[in-house]
Amino acid sequence: MTEQPPSGRRRLSIRALRGALGVGLASVLASAGLVALSAPAQAADNLGDAAAASGRYFGTALATGHLGEQDYAATADREFNMATPENEMKWDATESSRGSFNFSGGDQIVQHATAAGMQVRGHTLVWYSQLPGWVSGLGATDLQSAMDNHITTLMQHYAGEIYAWDVVNEAFQDGGSGARRPSPFQDKLGDGYIEHAFRTARAADPGAKLCYNDYNIDGVNAKSTAVYNMVKDFKSRGVPIDCVGFQGHFNPQSPVTSDYQQNLERFAALGVDVQITELDIEGSGSAQADSYRKVVTACMAVERCNGITVWGVTDKYSWRSGGTPLLFDGNYQKKPVYDAVLQALGGTPGGDPGDPGDDPGDPGSAACTATYAETQRWGDRFNGQITVRAGDSAISDWTVRVTLHSPQTVPTTWNGQASYDGSVLTMRANGNGSLGAGQSTTFGFTVMANGNWSAPAVASCTAT
Ligand code: XIL
């Protein structure tokens, strides 16, 4: 991805918009033209659209190593509207030696996600694990400045491209004590490092939501209560925090407890969003489906639970692959748990989204895909090209919606019929609507950046 100045490509603050308008996330974002959540009129047949219908997102962890596998990318692009880099933005990947930053993996995830109409969660800035040895070796003063520099450099590099950052990850101990976990940060900087990290993060990118993220805080227990007390303290003293991430790694020994929803509710009542950030539940069949259903149903019942991310696309690449904890099997087939999740989100299971024949009421929806690429950049503008490809069946017409980023404008388009609604450009086929199965065509447009060089995002492709 081309490096760009951090200033001038900031989107409006989602947090600020939401607070000011007091309305659902999807409608705020849609009206501001900020993101690619599509809100279909009919019951959705994929996870992202189903979640978007209630103003939520449904995301996945993505790993660069698998993006070249066609089924992996196609499944991710079809089902999810939020992506978290599984490892690519962690400290060991981004600053393995002091002051020398590598954004290649993170950039690749952002680029893929954006082209597919997904937003991105940033994961993670300050964590005891996947931390290079040089950090652990620093004395307190140096460690403080290294932490500040790491937070600021990452957040400014990705400013305008990250929906929410996990600023601090896993800072509390397991067990009943509610104590802080020993780490270089905790041991040398003391309890105040978390507050300091959040203040530094807010200054670095005021447009991103700032989350605290942890595991085994899913139900009401000593660890979650310790986190709760910290968030409560932050809110009472004006320390900037917008969300709490509940990782949600479950198995039969560590099941979803009956107080799951109650726990989400007590955090939401503190005035933060709650997000399920790394959901995976080991098991299979109806037991696995029941557990997933509990999590999704709880999130849907809590207004400030605004999104769910599963920790991977397919069982075969899960970090707990032996436990088959995800929604797609190793052949990218939907498992029984998939339908349970889709239904709990309000969607309609049973269809193959690639096959327009499945839903008689919706002939041809999702029968095409659209992929964005920048083809040229000069002076104050760039050209974007969208490749429209028919799915498994021939199509006779297509419509693609593209979200631009304020204050971008489009002076000219080609190979389609353009109309505009706020920051959304709608392109209809113009003599190039008829495509055989798998065939593609392209259309293009020029974007005046007006200081914002963010890539336009494909919001939807529909065909008949
Ligand atoms: C895991 C990744 O999935 C693995 O690929 C990696 O080897 C270790 O980290 N909590 C987190 C995630 O916050 O970053 C972890 O991801 C899983 C536990």
Side-chain angles (χ1 to χ4, degrees), residues 38 40-53 338 342-343 345-349:
S38 56
Q42 290 185 302
D45 60 5
N46 67 74
L47 302 167
D49 282 354
Y338 174 94
L342 184 59
Q343 226 154 12
L345 290 169
T348 307

Side-chain angles (χ1 to χ4, degrees), residues 5-6 76 81 110 125 165 177 189 218 228 262 270 275 328 336 344 351 382 394 402 412 443 447:
N81 55 11
V110 170
L125 296 167
W165 270 104
S177 68
L189 306 176
D218 311 286
Y228 175 88
Q262 184 198 335
L270 293 175
Q275 299 169 358
F328 293 89
F382 58 96
V402 179
T412 169
F443 68 82
V447 178

